[in-house]
Amino acid sequence: MQVVWLRSSLALRDLQAFIQHTVVYCKMDPKLKKTKNSSSNSANSPDSTHSSFPFPDEVLERVLSFLHSHKDRSSVSLVCKDWYNAERWTRTKLFIGNCYSVSPEIVARRFPRIKSVTLKGKPRFSDFNLVPQHWGADVHSWLVVFAKVYPFLEELRLKRMTLNDESLKFLATSFPGFKALSLLSCEGFSTDGLKAIATHCKNLTELDIQENGMDDLGGGWLSCFSENCSSLEVLNFASLNSEVSFDALEKLVRRCKSLRILKVNKSITLDQLQQLLVLAPQLIELGTGSFQQELTPLQYEGLGIAFSNCKNLQTLSGFWEDTSLHLPVLYAACPSLTFLNLSYATLRSGELAKIVAHSPNIRRLWVLDTVGDKGLEAVGSSCPFLEELRVFPADPFEQDLHHGVTEAGFLAVSHGCRKLHYVLYFCRQMTNAAVATIVQNCPDFTHFRLCIMNPGERDYLTNEPMDEAFGAVVKTCTNLQRLALSGLLTDLTFEYIGKYAKNLEALSVAFAGSSDGGMQCVLQGCPKLRKLEIRDCPFGNAALLSGIEKYETMRSLWMSACNVTMSACKLLAKEMPRLNVEVMRDEGSDESQADKVYIYRTVAGPRRDAPPFVVTL
Amino acid sequence: MERAAVYDNELNLKATELRLGLPGADESEKQSSRNNKRSSAEMDDSRDKDEQESAPAPKAQVVGWPPVRSYRKNILHQKNESDLSGIFVKVSMDGAPYLRKIDLKVYINYQDLLKALENMFKCSIGVYSEREGYDGSEFAPTYEDKDGDWMLVGDVPWDMFITSCKRLRIMKGSEAKGLGCL
């Protein structure tokens, strides 16, 4: 009897099906089992006919096809060779959290039937310009292999990858059944590449372009969709600025009856938006265009009616222009909203208060700190079901303390929204006491990302370091998975983390800590740690090497502007051949200093595409 | 020493120039923030470098901190640039029957502004010189500043000018004589 641990997120229905099938076939006559395992690669499993399982392979495969989570599948594949094989034959979705941890060839050998791929590339700190240009994570070599091995690939989701227009053209023309493309924080391509996708992917259901470092050469790509294309379900071009042909868009929306997510860009006026809403009242997610326009009373009324007819609307975003003029037209749609993304709208407290008053069912709310503490108070009183709050800074480089939000706003939300479990909060002042109260109110935090914007900022009331704040977080929030630190922090914070944060998977540290001991506490104390990113901290070689055993259990470690030297990195690389230890040196710095270190586990060996400034030890 | 009426480039001439403005006044602040229509990563890198080099006096800016994604930074930056409402000031000209109103934000430097004024009022204003003002010109542009004082247009750095200018008056050259001399 083998035991397989599965995540509790497995859908109950799937689990029941899994169990039913397993139980039924356990009772089957073992003689019914096939004697020869013809479907799996004989090189992989010479012992398969002697396994202790009475299941024919097809049965096991059928059973395993109920598993969707890649983590569950990973667990399953470790049970025995039979299960490993059955799993690899039934896996259709591939998730690769670090594109350099494995090679396309290895993937292709193991999984023959992949239809959907998610690939993540650069380290997260590349979002903040800490990774030089041309670092890598180019998708092309993956596409070439996929074209050979997975000609029926349907979905590709890329995050922090590099790709150029040639790759997009290759993608568009190599996979006849291609359906869904999602690009988030990628770079290197332009709207010309999108033209290829729109032109060639006849069955496209999803085109989701978000926040990429891309060249917007014009909106002509939208007109490349063929008149026969009616399969679109998701279209997100909110982050592109160029004007698109409204005529083309209107026709597209009209014929794509299954469209459920539409996020348009700034070039679409309110008037045009209204026309689109009339055509697509079935929308579940809407991204508005420019929300600023002189409207006649009739147009205004029409817009209000259009919104009220969208009975399924759950998500609203966009609001690129600075206006509160037309917000009331939304009110009719607000009651059904669960996610409101106002993070590009410079709203004031009163305006936010009015919106949230109409949106009692909000689960996720993203705002700019222009709403102030007063705006957040309104959130606290109006949104009892709030689970996620993100407050972004409108003026991140502004030194003036009188802008934005403070601990008061966060406190107010925590009083009113007891189900809060995800927070990203940018502020300029915080106190230990406030954070302690906040986590008392909301002990279920799984993601706690607090950014006190001035590095090394103290508790502004007591002038103490912020150690006790994060101590309170890790002591109280036992389910904490992700933590981002800020403020003046000593090693005490890291002692707390090592001692209490037993479920912590991702930790982000900047301008914190006093000595190697801090980092050591975390490496030794957090069993589930997978991602650790550190910048500008006084952690040196001893700290780095204390984790020598740990790094293979993690996805990656990033350390920049710390006190690590090349010799320690070389030692680490020598001892741990299954890690890639990559160093990037800053211009003009000492030869012996390892300014930027990126360490990750891999089965693919050292990178073959590393640029000259990335040294693999 | 004659200083050319060229304020459009942030040249090192600034280091040796004589002016009435406060030393260290915000000249180079906004230089790097113009024209960031592309949100490509290359632009982000160069912008960040600019921000680092022309850091505001109180604190040097750190690369990648606060951790705000480039895309978001760009958007907010564009918003800040465009959301600043126009600086509308009245312009009168001696002898003209009615006033005009212009938006100072539309112009990028003195040259730009003076040319526009010349076109608007069909007059000739000439070239600024620190010593002589607009001596020799038919007209001289003056402005009322925040303190209520009438100043000669061109003395202070452009950015300081547009934030302190309350109204403009194009004076007859003969009346303006003596205003430009120190």
Side-chain angles (χ1 to χ4, degrees):
Chain A
M1 172 68 164
Q2 295 279 346
V3 176
V4 180
W5 290 104
L6 300 173
R7 284 161 66 83
S8 57
S9 58
L10 192 65
L12 189 60
R13 196 188 55 233
D14 288 348
L15 186 60
Q16 282 172 338
F18 183 86
I19 291 171
Q20 275 168 4
H21 281 79
T22 311
V23 167
V24 164
Y25 289 108
C26 265
K27 291 176 181 165
M28 274 172 70
D29 187 335
K31 289 197 203 107
L32 290 173
K33 177 178 107 75
K34 280 169 58 169
T35 51
K36 194 173 167 87
N37 190 343
S38 56
S39 57
S40 65
N41 190 332
S42 55
N44 269 338
S45 55
D47 296 326
S48 61
T49 50
H50 301 296
S51 83
S52 51
F53 290 98
F55 307 150
D57 295 316
E58 288 88 354
V59 168
L60 187 55
E61 286 177 17
R62 174 92 178 99
V63 167
L64 292 181
S65 66
F66 287 108
L67 289 182
H68 302 299
S69 141
H70 69 273
K71 286 184 181 155
D72 287 336
R73 286 185 155 270
S74 230
S75 309
V76 155
S77 69
L78 295 172
V79 170
C80 66
K81 281 202 160 86
D82 257 4
W83 284 48
Y84 176 90
N85 281 321
E87 193 280 312
R88 60 183 270 267
W89 277 92
T90 56
R91 192 183 294 213
T92 56
K93 278 176 127 117
L94 200 59
F95 173 85
I96 298 173
N98 173 6
C99 64
Y100 288 118
S101 63
V102 72
S103 75
E105 291 79 16
I106 293 173
V107 163
R109 267 203 304 274
R110 179 172 171 188
F111 298 111
R113 290 200 201 144
I114 296 296
K115 288 214 192 122
S116 159
V117 175
T118 301
L119 257 180
K120 296 188 185 178
K122 294 187 243 181
R124 200 182 75 94
F125 274 172
S126 70
D127 282 350
F128 317 124
N129 296 326
L130 288 180
V131 175
Q133 285 287 292
H134 310 299
W135 180 84
D138 195 308
V139 80
H140 200 81
S141 56
W142 290 87
L143 292 179
V144 167
V145 171
F146 291 162
K148 279 199 296 251
V149 185
Y150 309 134
F152 301 115
L153 187 72
E154 292 177 359
E155 292 181 9
L156 186 65
R157 298 175 195 286
L158 303 179
K159 186 171 182 181
R160 292 192 199 99
M161 297 288 296
T162 303
L163 70 161
N164 58 22
D165 290 338
E166 288 310 308
S167 299
L168 282 169
K169 284 182 192 123
F170 183 78
L171 174 66
T173 50
S174 308
F175 305 96
F178 194 73
K179 286 188 181 160
L181 178 64
S182 164
L183 300 174
L184 172 58
S185 284
C186 297
E187 61 166 3
F189 62 102
S190 79
T191 39
D192 283 350
L194 298 184
K195 276 186 185 168
I197 300 287
T199 307
H200 298 287
C201 301
K202 305 290 182 200
N203 300 311
L204 202 66
T205 59
E206 179 175 338
L207 184 61
D208 187 0
I209 309 296
Q210 279 188 62
E211 302 192 6
N212 300 289
M214 61 179 289
D215 283 337
D216 187 348
L217 303 173
W221 59 272
L222 188 80
S223 310
C224 291
F225 281 106
S226 104
E227 276 161 18
N228 295 328
C229 171
S230 59
S231 47
L232 267 185
E233 296 170 26
V234 176
L235 180 61
N236 176 2
F237 63 97
S239 61
L240 296 170
N241 285 337
S242 296
E243 194 174 328
V244 296
S245 152
F246 179 70
D247 186 58
L249 177 62
E250 194 254 3
K251 292 197 169 98
L252 189 62
V253 171
R254 188 186 289 274
R255 56 180 190 266
C256 294
K257 304 288 183 204
S258 305
L259 195 66
R260 49 189 169 82
I261 297 177
L262 177 64
K263 297 184 183 175
V264 300
N265 71 4
K266 277 198 264 213
S267 75
I268 302 298
T269 65
L270 267 179
D271 189 42
Q272 291 171 332
L273 185 71
Q274 188 251 340
Q275 293 175 54
L276 295 174
L277 287 178
V278 167
L279 290 172
Q282 76 281 5
L283 284 178
I284 298 178
E285 294 185 26
L286 174 70
T288 70
S290 140
F291 215 68
Q292 180 185 52
Q293 191 187 344
E294 296 281 326
L295 290 178
T296 67
L298 205 62
Q299 282 175 316
Y300 189 92
E301 203 189 326
L303 189 60
I305 292 172
F307 267 107
S308 64
N309 282 336
C310 294
K311 308 279 185 216
N312 299 324
L313 212 54
Q314 288 175 19
T315 298
L316 261 184
S317 61
F319 306 105
W320 304 106
E321 303 299 329
D322 179 37
T323 180
S324 56
L325 220 54
H326 302 306
L327 291 175
V329 303
L330 299 175
Y331 295 164
C334 286
S336 61
L337 290 182
T338 56
F339 178 22
L340 189 50
N341 180 357
L342 299 166
S343 66
Y344 292 103
T346 50
L347 296 180
R348 304 277 174 228
S349 57
E351 292 149 1
L352 179 67
K354 288 203 197 100
I355 299 181
V356 295
H358 285 91
S359 318
N361 293 309
I362 283 285
R363 300 291 192 270
R364 300 169 65 199
L365 179 64
W366 295 13
V367 292
L368 274 182
D369 64 0
T370 50
V371 302
D373 290 330
K374 278 191 74 111
L376 294 180
E377 278 167 36
V379 172
S381 20
S382 309
C383 309
F385 303 116
L386 194 68
E387 295 173 14
E388 175 180 326
L389 175 69
R390 300 195 197 198
V391 181
F392 293 93
D395 234 330
F397 306 109
E398 174 64 58
Q399 306 290 343
D400 185 352
L401 280 174
H402 295 119
H403 290 126
V405 294
T406 71
E407 78 280 9
F410 199 172
L411 270 166
V413 174
S414 75
H415 279 303
C417 309
R418 299 297 168 120
K419 295 180 183 256
L420 200 61
H421 70 81
Y422 189 122
V423 77
L424 170 62
Y425 200 81
F426 283 84
C427 57
R428 290 184 172 85
Q429 66 185 48
M430 189 50 63
T431 68
N432 289 306
V435 176
T437 308
I438 287 163
V439 294
Q440 285 292 323
N441 292 336
C442 305
D444 299 328
F445 274 113
T446 55
H447 298 68
F448 194 91
R449 304 164 64 189
L450 177 63
C451 181
I452 307 166
M453 287 192 265
N454 195 13
E457 187 80 13
R458 294 170 179 268
D459 177 323
Y460 80 99
L461 284 181
T462 65
N463 232 30
E464 284 169 1
M466 296 298 298
D467 294 328
E468 294 307 317
F470 292 102
V473 172
V474 294
K475 281 179 206 164
T476 316
C477 306
T478 51
N479 292 326
L480 196 69
Q481 291 167 27
R482 182 173 177 186
L483 181 63
L485 307 173
S486 59
L488 181 69
L489 302 173
T490 70
D491 282 349
L492 185 55
T493 296
F494 300 98
E495 280 169 40
Y496 285 141
I497 293 173
K499 189 165 174 200
Y500 295 102
K502 296 306 177 186
N503 284 315
L504 193 65
E505 297 178 22
L507 180 64
S508 194
V509 188
F511 307 102
S514 344
S515 75
D516 284 338
M519 185 172 162
Q520 276 170 295
C521 285
V522 171
L523 289 170
Q524 278 152 19
C526 299
K528 296 196 183 172
L529 195 65
R530 292 188 298 117
K531 293 181 266 190
L532 181 56
E533 46 184 33
I534 301 174
R535 63 164 295 180
D536 294 89
C537 296
F539 303 140
N541 295 338
L544 177 71
L545 294 172
S546 71
I548 203 164
E549 308 274 310
K550 185 148 180 91
Y551 301 133
E552 268 188 18
T553 67
M554 292 169 55
R555 183 188 290 178
S556 64
L557 166 70
W558 169 282
M559 277 179 88
S560 60
C562 296
N563 292 338
V564 173
T565 67
M566 291 295 281
S567 53
C569 293
K570 284 184 184 144
L571 181 62
L572 182 62
K574 187 158 162 266
E575 296 293 312
M576 307 297 291
R578 280 189 304 226
L579 293 179
N580 276 356
V581 179
E582 296 177 3
V583 176
M584 290 181 273
R585 269 214 299 274
D586 292 339
E587 272 185 42
S589 82
D590 202 299
E591 288 265 321
S592 63
Q593 283 302 110
D595 302 304
K596 290 182 174 143
V597 181
Y598 184 48
I599 296 165
Y600 55 91
R601 66 180 175 191
T602 179
V603 294
R607 284 175 57 178
R608 273 165 283 168
D609 64 349
F613 58 83
V614 174
V615 177
T616 306
L617 300 173
Chain B
M1 189 161 50
E2 176 147 28
R3 179 176 51 153
V6 176
Y7 287 79
D8 48 348
N9 293 326
E10 306 297 344
L11 303 173
N12 286 334
L13 294 176
K14 286 264 183 223
T16 52
E17 75 185 23
L18 301 171
R19 51 190 173 83
L20 295 178
L22 294 168
D26 49 333
E27 329 154 342
S28 50
E29 274 276 7
K30 297 291 176 204
Q31 174 207 4
S32 51
S33 22
R34 265 192 245 123
N35 291 331
N36 271 305
K37 302 244 155 65
R38 280 172 27 153
S39 53
S40 72
E42 283 92 352
M43 288 298 273
D44 296 339
D45 275 341
S46 62
R47 264 187 65 242
D48 268 326
K49 286 204 199 86
D50 278 344
E51 278 170 11
Q52 264 188 298
E53 282 156 13
S54 58
K59 266 178 173 83
Q61 289 178 15
V62 181
V63 172
W65 191 265
V68 177
R69 282 203 195 158
S70 310
Y71 175 78
R72 175 170 287 279
K73 268 197 303 208
N74 281 341
I75 296 284
L76 293 175
H77 206 83
Q78 282 169 25
K79 269 166 119 33
N80 284 338
E81 292 278 286
S82 62
D83 285 352
L84 287 171
S85 50
I87 301 177
F88 282 90
V89 295
K90 290 182 189 169
V91 188
S92 61
M93 179 157 106
D94 292 347
Y98 52 82
L99 279 63
R100 301 299 304 270
K101 208 154 197 190
I102 59 172
D103 178 1
L104 291 178
K105 281 231 125 257
V106 163
Y107 308 104
I108 51 172
N109 57 21
Y110 282 118
Q111 229 176 5
D112 211 5
L113 170 67
L114 295 180
K115 210 169 191 164
L117 289 177
E118 281 180 330
N119 281 337
M120 194 181 258
F121 291 96
K122 304 285 180 280
C123 63
S124 117
I125 293 176
V127 168
Y128 171 89
S129 97
E130 195 184 351
R131 203 171 149 77
E132 314 285 324
Y134 293 89
D135 257 7
S137 308
E138 220 189 321
F139 291 96
T142 63
Y143 72 103
E144 183 184 15
D145 75 357
K146 278 188 182 145
D147 300 325
D149 298 320
W150 282 95
M151 317 284 292
L152 191 68
V153 169
D155 281 337
V156 301
W158 174 254
D159 283 334
M160 183 187 278
F161 165 72
I162 58 174
T163 51
S164 55
C165 172
K166 289 273 152 282
R167 54 187 296 159
L168 280 160
R169 176 183 164 203
I170 303 179
M171 280 171 121
K172 283 229 167 61
S174 46
E175 285 183 35
K177 216 180 183 72
L179 205 65
C181 297
L182 291 168

